[in-house]
Amino acid sequence: MKISFFATTALFITATEAFHVGHGGRRTTSLNILTGTESAAERVAKIMSNKPQENEAFDKLVKKNFPGAISNKELETKVANILETRGLTPANTLLCTSLCCDELARSLEDDLNKVYGHNFNLGGLSGFPFAGNTGFGAMSAHVPDGGYCLLVHGPHVGITKDGVIGKVERSGIALVDNCCGSAIAASNYLKGITDGGAKITTKLQQFSDFQQGAVQELILPFGKRLNEAENRMKELPYALYDSQDILVRDIISSGSKGIKSGLALLSGIQINTSPETLDYFHPLRFDYYDEIGVVVEDLLPSLMVSAPVTSVILNALDQGQ
Ligand SMILES: [Zn+2]
């Protein structure tokens, strides 16, 4: 389909030019240390060449359990291209994340680090934005002058090769263990209250486990929802997402004066899988904020297009065209 590729490439380049906004400021900050002139899409294509191949049967299994989920390969490719058409490039964009502490949550972050440079970390256990307003304010000040922020946020959940939700295989560890451990511990705490008559024992004053105390406080409103869920482990990340989504958007709203040229908020559920398969992501929000902190575009539909121009470009890059 070479004709199709060239036609769509021409369309993509035209779209890039049409949406591109010039930026005068410095090109890097100490946090955003990438050099080179490769586009975000070219960087993603390189990263994906070292990932496991797509597995059709597992892809179906994940999507059956998490309708709306797409592989990280598809996610990262589309995000890089969509943002590039809005003027967000590796040189002018600071990556900011709010993801769980678990090393499995680093998989998506590591990929994006290779595209946009080191990230500012807002997140903590379960993916809550524990760095809060202060963290967001500091992060905003580190965005290159005239540049942008890409904020990626979400709780995570594991799924094993045979489809058990809430668990995942980990490299070098025989035990197929919980994922997300923090969320499941908070869920068990909540179940003890709703089903077993246990007392609320929030230990926010206990600083040695401050974040988990907060997760357990923040999950309290979801007792009924989780008890009535067909699959508690499947519902858990979505319940946490709803809580985190309010917090993240409130933090952006409170710090909107610090936004420079614009901010893209990509949020959803990270779905971690075994080392042999691609990770997935269920995007639930992809909002573009302008320089005064107003959401001016919903980019989510662009992520959900099944046959994007961008994948044609990626395939061509994969083949060295
Ligand atoms: Zn976790």
Side-chain angles (χ1 to χ4, degrees):
M1 297 298 286
K2 285 203 175 215
I3 292 171
S4 166
F5 166 67
F6 286 119
T8 49
T9 302
L11 272 175
F12 172 68
I13 292 166
T14 307
T16 304
E17 290 303 314
F19 283 99
H20 184 74
V21 180
H23 306 289
R26 63 189 169 162
R27 296 184 63 80
T28 58
T29 71
S30 60
L31 282 173
N32 193 7
I33 58 168
L34 285 188
T35 56
T37 55
E38 289 171 310
S39 71
E42 287 167 337
R43 290 171 192 225
V44 171
K46 270 192 184 170
I47 294 161
M48 290 305 152
S49 65
N50 295 319
K51 297 280 182 184
Q53 289 296 307
E54 275 160 326
N55 176 325
E56 204 177 317
F58 187 69
D59 186 74
K60 279 194 184 136
L61 179 70
V62 173
K63 288 176 178 170
K64 183 169 156 248
N65 282 290
F66 297 98
I70 56 178
S71 72
N72 278 10
K73 178 177 183 176
E74 187 176 347
L75 175 82
E76 292 168 33
T77 305
K78 287 178 174 175
V79 166
N81 279 304
I82 291 166
L83 294 183
E84 217 141 35
T85 63
R86 270 73 181 171
L88 284 77
T89 68
N92 68 14
T93 302
L94 177 61
L95 175 67
C96 173
T97 63
S98 183
L99 303 167
C100 187
C101 304
D102 189 329
E103 73 280 2
L104 293 183
R106 300 284 79 69
S107 172
L108 175 62
E109 192 177 80
D110 285 349
D111 289 351
L112 294 173
N113 286 159
K114 290 174 190 142
V115 180
Y116 296 104
H118 293 162
N119 63 287
F120 192 107
N121 179 32
L122 286 184
L125 288 177
S126 285
F128 278 95
F130 284 115
N133 303 108
T134 301
F136 185 85
M139 182 281 297
S140 300
H142 302 169
V143 170
D145 293 337
Y148 300 86
C149 168
L150 166 59
L151 201 170
V152 179
H153 149 253
H156 69 137
V157 59
I159 180 168
T160 63
K161 285 182 210 165
D162 48 4
V164 178
I165 297 170
K167 292 191 179 289
V168 72
E169 299 88 354
R170 293 174 191 261
S171 182
I173 300 173
L175 180 68
V176 178
D177 205 1
N178 289 345
C179 177
C180 167
S182 161
I184 292 169
S187 168
N188 290 340
Y189 162 79
L190 178 57
K191 201 164 173 52
I193 294 165
T194 56
D195 296 7
K199 293 240 168 24
I200 295 173
T201 55
T202 304
K203 295 173 183 169
L204 280 176
Q205 70 280 18
Q206 193 177 310
F207 281 94
S208 62
D209 207 9
F210 174 79
Q211 289 193 3
Q212 186 60 21
V215 174
Q216 292 180 181
E217 171 118 339
L218 290 159
I219 202 176
L220 287 175
F222 300 111
K224 187 166 183 287
R225 175 173 166 180
L226 290 174
N227 271 354
E228 289 175 357
E230 199 178 307
N231 182 331
R232 189 179 180 97
M233 286 300 102
K234 198 195 287 191
E235 190 66 18
L236 181 57
Y238 290 94
L240 290 173
Y241 172 85
D242 287 344
S243 176
Q244 295 172 12
D245 180 53
I246 293 168
L247 285 172
V248 167
R249 286 188 298 130
D250 185 61
I251 288 167
I252 294 172
S253 173
S254 301
S256 59
K257 285 198 175 125
I259 294 175
K260 292 191 176 169
S261 291
L263 178 147
L265 169 62
L266 170 66
S267 55
I269 313 294
Q270 274 206 90
I271 301 160
N272 294 123
T273 74
S274 83
E276 290 103 63
T277 46
L278 291 168
D279 275 355
Y280 284 73
F281 193 88
H282 183 188
L284 297 171
R285 185 182 292 284
F286 194 17
D287 285 344
Y288 184 74
Y289 291 74
D290 67 9
E291 69 281 3
I292 56 168
V294 175
V295 177
V296 290
E297 193 172 5
D298 177 6
L299 300 171
L300 195 58
S302 320
L303 276 182
M304 306 324 282
V305 177
S306 58
V309 170
T310 52
S311 72
V312 178
I313 292 170
L314 177 70
N315 288 338
L317 287 168
D318 278 348
Q319 291 157 23
Q321 292 181 50

